[in-house]
Amino acid sequence: MAFVYIVLVLTALTGNVVVEAAETPASQAHFMVQVKAAISGSTSLRLCGGALLSTTHVVTAAACVLDDASTVKVYSGTATLWATGENGTEHSVSALRKHPSFSSTNGALGISYYFDVAVLRLATPVTLNGLASSISVAGSRPAVGSTLSLAGWGVYFFGNPPEPTETSRLEVDSVTVMASDQCSTKVLTPIPAGLICLAKTPDMGQSGSAAFAGGLLYALMSWGGSVATDLTNAEVSSFIATTVKSL
């Protein structure tokens, strides 16, 4: 199923209570940026999503970027793929840092990532306006059954054999937080702390697509079409906060 532009009813976790947030238009995903990065050993480029935490810092999936900041570009203030000029701004990345515990393993459904999060520092600041905004990481994990918005540019598969393609515009859809045991059965891999699973993810869950609600960021898609990095996890959230201050 493709993302669709609709007005969504979201739920978010406040303390230990699941509450229903006000209706949130897709335009509230203006914190989303495009992360274009080199792929090791290839001339191809990879598209991932990212979220703007400040005028100079972006959080994205660690698996999306190499260690060399010069191989990464970020596009802000646009819903259109790779748009620049009046419709968007391209930013070089001056520095990046991956979570020190970032790792990967080969699982039943392909590569599984853990602590799949990186912070990028932009060489030039983003102008916050009606087309670009920042977002804060939520303080607590959303309850099982909560509904979040998922924003991204998508990965769709066509042809025989299928080839991934991206949508040309940022799109948003709703997803539901799954129980870890249910998710583990689906992806054939245990789901440890630091990961959160989202049901009904469109587009195979493009890396860096952001799950959010009520103006707060909860997770970034990582692997398996359903598994995301839980940004509210203490080890993850402390890494993000410390890195934004020091990078």
Side-chain angles (χ1 to χ4, degrees):
M1 178 187 296
F3 286 130
V4 292
Y5 277 106
I6 54 176
V7 175
L8 304 172
V9 176
L10 310 175
T11 58
L13 182 66
T14 301
N16 295 318
V17 180
V18 178
V19 298
E20 186 174 359
E23 292 185 347
T24 305
S27 61
Q28 289 201 9
H30 283 159
F31 61 85
M32 286 296 295
V33 298
Q34 303 162 38
V35 178
K36 183 170 71 173
I39 300 173
S40 180
S42 172
T43 58
S44 299
L45 297 172
R46 180 173 186 175
L47 166 68
C48 291
L52 192 64
L53 299 177
S54 73
T55 59
T56 53
H57 291 89
V58 168
V59 63
T60 188
C64 290
V65 295
L66 303 177
D67 292 330
D68 182 358
S70 68
T71 64
V72 185
K73 298 287 186 183
V74 169
Y75 293 78
S76 68
T78 179
T80 304
L81 204 61
W82 313 141
T84 57
E86 293 182 0
N87 297 316
T89 305
E90 180 187 270
H91 303 266
S92 296
V93 175
S94 60
L96 67 83
R97 187 176 300 159
K98 299 179 182 181
H99 194 287
S101 296
F102 170 61
S103 64
S104 63
T105 60
N106 289 317
L109 298 182
I111 299 178
S112 305
Y113 296 105
Y114 303 94
F115 295 101
D116 184 18
V117 60
V119 175
L120 317 179
R121 179 177 176 84
L122 306 180
T124 55
V126 174
T127 300
L128 301 183
N129 51 32
L131 297 176
S133 61
S134 60
I135 191 169
S136 298
V137 175
S140 56
R141 182 183 174 100
V144 171
S146 294
T147 302
L148 307 175
S149 281
L150 185 70
W153 279 267
V155 178
Y156 298 86
F157 293 84
F158 301 96
N160 186 21
E163 293 291 336
T165 61
E166 288 80 34
T167 63
S168 61
R169 291 187 63 81
L170 177 69
E171 299 183 350
V172 178
D173 206 349
S174 59
V175 292
T176 305
V177 178
M178 299 172 62
S180 293
D181 56 351
Q182 178 187 5
C183 180
S184 179
T185 300
K186 178 180 179 180
V187 300
L188 306 177
T189 304
I191 303 298
L195 297 177
I196 189 169
C197 293
L198 305 175
K200 299 182 181 178
T201 54
D203 80 0
M204 297 297 290
Q206 177 206 36
S207 291
S209 292
F212 67 102
L216 295 172
L217 182 62
Y218 285 88
L220 293 177
M221 290 306 303
S222 179
W223 59 272
S226 297
V227 185
T229 300
D230 177 10
L231 302 185
T232 72
N233 173 270
E235 288 186 66
V236 175
S237 62
S238 62
F239 162 76
I240 293 172
T242 299
T243 304
V244 167
K245 292 179 180 178
S246 62
L247 187 65

